[in-house]
Amino acid sequence: MKKLEILTYPDERLKIPSSEVLDFGKELQEFIERLRLVMVNSPACVGIAAPQVNVHKRIILVDTSNSKHKENKLSHGFMVLINPKIKRFEGEIIVREGCLSVPDYTGNVKRHYWIEVEAMDPKGNLFVFDTEGFEAVVIQHEIDHLEGKLFIERVLSPKDLFKRKVYR
């Protein structure tokens, strides 16, 4: 099985909006597992979206359970969110974000502190949950990928973009 390659900025394919997942069969399950392997084998990775590996479907994986981020007050553990939508939101938070697709930089971004999310699980079952703090930020970041947006487009100002430290 060929390893999935992470697209990196300024690759134009990162700007392509994703389409909804309609087929919840074996091919989707296999892709989710391949995407999970990329995520777990990427240092400090807490989320990944299908467009980052040039698959323009509305699929994100999130896991903030091992994050030491100070805003990580709530974590639902490992989640696969298919066709996710933010239904409601409240509050604001400014967080330093990084991204596998922007490996050389991090930046301060303003996000919603609390969100209610509607999504489907890998079998096509609809569910709704709410989250806050860092986990909410990660979900918003990954949903941006589904819209063809990167965090660097949301950085508060040029002085809020920083050279990334190297993870080992």
Side-chain angles (χ1 to χ4, degrees):
M1 187 181 315
K2 187 179 174 199
K3 183 181 176 216
L4 296 173
E5 298 287 327
I6 300 285
L7 301 179
T8 57
Y9 178 80
D11 194 311
E12 290 292 315
R13 294 173 292 177
L14 289 166
K15 295 181 179 180
I16 300 171
S18 296
S19 57
E20 286 203 8
V21 173
L22 302 174
D23 183 355
F24 290 83
K26 182 180 177 191
E27 190 175 303
L28 174 66
Q29 308 310 316
E30 290 171 354
F31 173 72
I32 290 168
E33 178 56 22
R34 292 177 68 205
L35 192 59
R36 186 192 69 78
L37 290 173
V38 173
M39 183 177 164
V40 300
N41 289 305
S42 299
C45 184
V46 292
I48 192 167
Q52 291 180 269
V53 295
N54 201 30
V55 174
H56 301 282
K57 294 287 186 183
R58 297 188 67 81
I59 303 166
I60 65 174
L61 309 183
V62 174
D63 187 356
T64 63
S65 59
N66 293 318
S67 171
K68 305 215 181 339
H69 197 281
K70 67 181 180 180
E71 286 297 331
N72 195 31
K73 297 175 182 159
L74 174 65
S75 177
H76 287 88
F78 178 73
M79 294 186 288
V80 177
L81 305 176
I82 311 289
N83 303 329
K85 296 177 187 151
I86 296 172
K87 302 302 278 182
R88 295 187 307 143
F89 54 86
E90 291 179 8
E92 291 181 346
I93 184 173
I94 296 174
V95 176
R96 175 86 59 95
E97 294 188 18
C99 183
L100 294 174
S101 293
V102 186
D104 297 330
Y105 292 93
T106 62
N108 293 331
V109 178
K110 187 187 301 184
R111 300 281 188 182
H112 303 297
Y113 181 79
W114 175 90
I115 58 174
E116 180 182 77
V117 180
E118 177 183 277
M120 299 173 118
D121 69 16
K123 296 182 189 233
N125 300 308
L126 188 66
F127 66 102
V128 177
F129 68 99
D130 65 280
T131 189
E132 64 184 29
F134 186 62
E135 186 176 73
V137 167
V138 172
I139 292 169
Q140 290 168 82
H141 175 108
E142 299 309 333
I143 288 175
D144 273 357
H145 280 296
L146 304 180
E147 304 301 330
K149 297 198 180 318
L150 295 172
F151 82 90
I152 54 177
E153 297 172 56
R154 292 189 181 274
V155 171
L156 296 173
S157 74
K159 69 178 175 45
D160 286 301
L161 191 63
F162 308 96
K163 193 81 170 141
R164 181 194 279 274
K165 68 179 180 179
V166 177
Y167 291 106
R168 303 256 181 236

